[in-house]
mmCIF file of all heavy atoms in Angstrom:
data_model
loop_
_atom_site.group_PDB
_atom_site.id
_atom_site.type_symbol
_atom_site.label_atom_id
_atom_site.label_comp_id
_atom_site.label_asym_id
_atom_site.label_seq_id
_atom_site.Cartn_x
_atom_site.Cartn_y
_atom_site.Cartn_z
ATOM 1 N N ALA W 5 19.347 -72.943 146.771
ATOM 2 C CA ALA W 5 20.515 -73.422 147.517
ATOM 3 C C ALA W 5 20.829 -74.833 147.068
ATOM 4 O O ALA W 5 19.932 -75.607 146.764
ATOM 5 C CB ALA W 5 20.251 -73.399 149.009
ATOM 6 N N ASN W 21 28.978 -75.007 148.181
ATOM 7 C CA ASN W 21 27.591 -74.598 148.382
ATOM 8 C C ASN W 21 27.259 -73.471 147.424
ATOM 9 O O ASN W 21 28.030 -72.517 147.299
ATOM 10 C CB ASN W 21 27.375 -74.129 149.823
ATOM 11 C CG ASN W 21 27.762 -75.201 150.816
ATOM 12 O OD1 ASN W 21 27.179 -76.255 150.828
ATOM 13 N ND2 ASN W 21 28.767 -74.923 151.624
ATOM 14 N N ARG W 28 20.695 -71.018 132.929
ATOM 15 C CA ARG W 28 20.244 -70.540 131.616
ATOM 16 C C ARG W 28 20.640 -71.545 130.541
ATOM 17 O O ARG W 28 21.655 -72.209 130.668
ATOM 18 C CB ARG W 28 20.862 -69.186 131.307
ATOM 19 C CG ARG W 28 20.287 -68.090 132.203
ATOM 20 C CD ARG W 28 20.861 -66.767 131.875
ATOM 21 N NE ARG W 28 22.155 -66.697 132.562
ATOM 22 C CZ ARG W 28 23.040 -65.759 132.376
ATOM 23 N NH1 ARG W 28 22.820 -64.820 131.509
ATOM 24 N NH2 ARG W 28 24.161 -65.751 133.041
ATOM 25 N N GLY W 29 19.822 -71.632 129.511
ATOM 26 C CA GLY W 29 20.103 -72.527 128.399
ATOM 27 C C GLY W 29 19.172 -73.721 128.335
ATOM 28 O O GLY W 29 19.164 -74.444 127.346
ATOM 29 N N LEU W 30 18.378 -73.952 129.385
ATOM 30 C CA LEU W 30 17.476 -75.104 129.388
ATOM 31 C C LEU W 30 16.400 -75.009 128.306
ATOM 32 O O LEU W 30 15.895 -76.023 127.843
ATOM 33 C CB LEU W 30 16.802 -75.266 130.752
ATOM 34 C CG LEU W 30 17.673 -75.822 131.864
ATOM 35 C CD1 LEU W 30 16.930 -75.796 133.187
ATOM 36 C CD2 LEU W 30 18.143 -77.225 131.534
ATOM 37 N N ALA W 33 16.714 -77.161 125.227
ATOM 38 C CA ALA W 33 16.706 -78.623 125.374
ATOM 39 C C ALA W 33 15.756 -79.251 124.360
ATOM 40 O O ALA W 33 14.652 -78.766 124.131
ATOM 41 C CB ALA W 33 16.306 -79.019 126.792
ATOM 42 N N ILE W 38 11.677 -90.514 124.645
ATOM 43 C CA ILE W 38 10.863 -90.510 125.852
ATOM 44 C C ILE W 38 10.002 -91.767 125.845
ATOM 45 O O ILE W 38 9.546 -92.206 124.789
ATOM 46 C CB ILE W 38 9.992 -89.233 125.961
ATOM 47 C CG1 ILE W 38 9.318 -89.155 127.326
ATOM 48 C CG2 ILE W 38 9.012 -89.125 124.823
ATOM 49 C CD1 ILE W 38 8.729 -87.793 127.646
ATOM 50 N N SER W 39 9.852 -92.351 127.019
ATOM 51 C CA SER W 39 8.950 -93.489 127.144
ATOM 52 C C SER W 39 8.158 -93.325 128.435
ATOM 53 O O SER W 39 8.627 -92.720 129.398
ATOM 54 C CB SER W 39 9.720 -94.812 127.141
ATOM 55 O OG SER W 39 10.546 -94.903 128.280
ATOM 56 N N MET W 49 13.436 -90.358 129.959
ATOM 57 C CA MET W 49 13.654 -89.385 128.899
ATOM 58 C C MET W 49 15.147 -89.124 128.721
ATOM 59 O O MET W 49 15.897 -89.121 129.687
ATOM 60 C CB MET W 49 12.942 -88.069 129.258
ATOM 61 C CG MET W 49 13.160 -86.972 128.255
ATOM 62 S SD MET W 49 12.191 -85.453 128.548
ATOM 63 C CE MET W 49 12.360 -85.167 130.269
ATOM 64 N N LEU W 57 24.861 -74.739 128.649
ATOM 65 C CA LEU W 57 24.113 -74.612 129.893
ATOM 66 C C LEU W 57 24.950 -73.771 130.833
ATOM 67 O O LEU W 57 26.096 -74.110 131.124
ATOM 68 C CB LEU W 57 23.860 -76.004 130.475
ATOM 69 C CG LEU W 57 22.857 -76.136 131.584
ATOM 70 C CD1 LEU W 57 21.483 -75.648 131.140
ATOM 71 C CD2 LEU W 57 22.769 -77.588 132.025
ATOM 72 N N GLY W 67 38.050 -76.902 150.931
ATOM 73 C CA GLY W 67 38.518 -78.279 150.822
ATOM 74 C C GLY W 67 39.796 -78.382 150.028
ATOM 75 O O GLY W 67 40.667 -77.511 150.080
ATOM 76 N N GLY W 76 37.086 -70.139 149.447
ATOM 77 C CA GLY W 76 36.604 -68.866 148.931
ATOM 78 C C GLY W 76 35.094 -68.756 149.001
ATOM 79 O O GLY W 76 34.395 -69.725 149.289
ATOM 80 N N LEU W 82 29.558 -71.169 135.852
ATOM 81 C CA LEU W 82 29.888 -72.482 135.303
ATOM 82 C C LEU W 82 29.190 -72.607 133.958
ATOM 83 O O LEU W 82 28.045 -72.171 133.810
ATOM 84 C CB LEU W 82 29.407 -73.597 136.225
ATOM 85 C CG LEU W 82 29.818 -73.514 137.687
ATOM 86 C CD1 LEU W 82 29.093 -74.566 138.506
ATOM 87 C CD2 LEU W 82 31.306 -73.672 137.829
ATOM 88 N N ASP W 85 29.121 -77.482 128.071
ATOM 89 C CA ASP W 85 28.882 -77.557 126.630
ATOM 90 C C ASP W 85 28.360 -78.943 126.263
ATOM 91 O O ASP W 85 28.746 -79.942 126.873
ATOM 92 C CB ASP W 85 30.179 -77.290 125.860
ATOM 93 C CG ASP W 85 30.720 -75.887 126.089
ATOM 94 O OD1 ASP W 85 29.949 -74.989 126.491
ATOM 95 O OD2 ASP W 85 31.930 -75.689 125.862
ATOM 96 N N VAL W 87 25.511 -80.723 126.514
ATOM 97 C CA VAL W 87 24.946 -81.504 127.613
ATOM 98 C C VAL W 87 23.892 -82.477 127.091
ATOM 99 O O VAL W 87 23.003 -82.091 126.334
ATOM 100 C CB VAL W 87 24.324 -80.585 128.686
ATOM 101 C CG1 VAL W 87 23.605 -81.400 129.753
ATOM 102 C CG2 VAL W 87 25.384 -79.708 129.304
ATOM 103 N N ALA W 95 6.306 -92.030 139.726
ATOM 104 C CA ALA W 95 5.200 -91.290 140.346
ATOM 105 C C ALA W 95 4.078 -92.260 140.723
ATOM 106 O O ALA W 95 4.123 -93.444 140.381
ATOM 107 C CB ALA W 95 4.681 -90.231 139.379
ATOM 108 N N LEU W 106 -0.621 -86.825 138.965
ATOM 109 C CA LEU W 106 0.515 -87.637 139.378
ATOM 110 C C LEU W 106 1.254 -86.917 140.487
ATOM 111 O O LEU W 106 1.402 -85.691 140.456
ATOM 112 C CB LEU W 106 1.480 -87.894 138.213
ATOM 113 C CG LEU W 106 1.009 -88.857 137.132
ATOM 114 C CD1 LEU W 106 2.092 -89.027 136.063
ATOM 115 C CD2 LEU W 106 0.635 -90.202 137.712
ATOM 116 N N LEU W 120 33.482 -78.530 130.712
ATOM 117 C CA LEU W 120 33.014 -77.729 131.838
ATOM 118 C C LEU W 120 33.979 -76.562 132.006
ATOM 119 O O LEU W 120 35.181 -76.766 132.172
ATOM 120 C CB LEU W 120 32.968 -78.566 133.115
ATOM 121 C CG LEU W 120 32.722 -77.819 134.435
ATOM 122 C CD1 LEU W 120 31.383 -77.088 134.427
ATOM 123 C CD2 LEU W 120 32.803 -78.783 135.609
ATOM 124 N N GLY W 135 43.862 -66.963 143.033
ATOM 125 C CA GLY W 135 42.549 -67.237 142.454
ATOM 126 C C GLY W 135 42.629 -67.526 140.968
ATOM 127 O O GLY W 135 42.015 -68.479 140.476
ATOM 128 N N MET W 138 44.210 -70.937 140.474
ATOM 129 C CA MET W 138 43.277 -72.023 140.793
ATOM 130 C C MET W 138 42.215 -72.163 139.707
ATOM 131 O O MET W 138 41.870 -73.284 139.311
ATOM 132 C CB MET W 138 42.618 -71.792 142.158
ATOM 133 C CG MET W 138 41.605 -72.882 142.537
ATOM 134 S SD MET W 138 42.241 -74.583 142.510
ATOM 135 C CE MET W 138 43.173 -74.622 144.029
ATOM 136 N N ASN W 139 41.673 -71.047 139.197
ATOM 137 C CA ASN W 139 40.678 -71.132 138.126
ATOM 138 C C ASN W 139 41.273 -71.797 136.886
ATOM 139 O O ASN W 139 40.617 -72.630 136.246
ATOM 140 C CB ASN W 139 40.113 -69.747 137.797
ATOM 141 C CG ASN W 139 38.975 -69.364 138.721
ATOM 142 O OD1 ASN W 139 38.012 -70.093 138.862
ATOM 143 N ND2 ASN W 139 39.106 -68.217 139.367
ATOM 144 N N ASP W 148 38.551 -84.660 135.734
ATOM 145 C CA ASP W 148 38.774 -85.326 137.021
ATOM 146 C C ASP W 148 37.886 -84.735 138.111
ATOM 147 O O ASP W 148 37.332 -85.474 138.935
ATOM 148 C CB ASP W 148 40.245 -85.196 137.444
ATOM 149 C CG ASP W 148 41.178 -85.891 136.470
ATOM 150 O OD1 ASP W 148 40.801 -86.952 135.922
ATOM 151 O OD2 ASP W 148 42.284 -85.372 136.243
ATOM 152 N N ALA W 163 16.959 -83.394 142.449
ATOM 153 C CA ALA W 163 16.043 -82.837 143.453
ATOM 154 C C ALA W 163 15.375 -81.559 142.941
ATOM 155 O O ALA W 163 14.178 -81.339 143.156
ATOM 156 C CB ALA W 163 16.783 -82.565 144.753
ATOM 157 N N ALA W 167 11.290 -81.171 142.202
ATOM 158 C CA ALA W 167 10.427 -80.115 142.737
ATOM 159 C C ALA W 167 9.648 -79.434 141.611
ATOM 160 O O ALA W 167 8.449 -79.152 141.749
ATOM 161 C CB ALA W 167 11.258 -79.096 143.513
ATOM 162 N N PRO W 184 -5.106 -89.785 125.561
ATOM 163 C CA PRO W 184 -5.400 -91.168 125.160
ATOM 164 C C PRO W 184 -5.072 -91.423 123.699
ATOM 165 O O PRO W 184 -4.926 -90.606 122.898
ATOM 166 C CB PRO W 184 -6.890 -91.321 125.415
ATOM 167 C CG PRO W 184 -7.427 -89.978 125.717
ATOM 168 C CD PRO W 184 -6.276 -89.057 125.920
#
Side-chain angles (χ1 to χ4, degrees):
N21 303 298
R28 290 182 278 171
L30 285 174
I38 189 166
S39 65
M49 177 174 45
L57 193 59
L82 308 171
D85 297 339
V87 174
L106 288 181
L120 170 60
M138 179 55 77
N139 275 306
D148 297 324

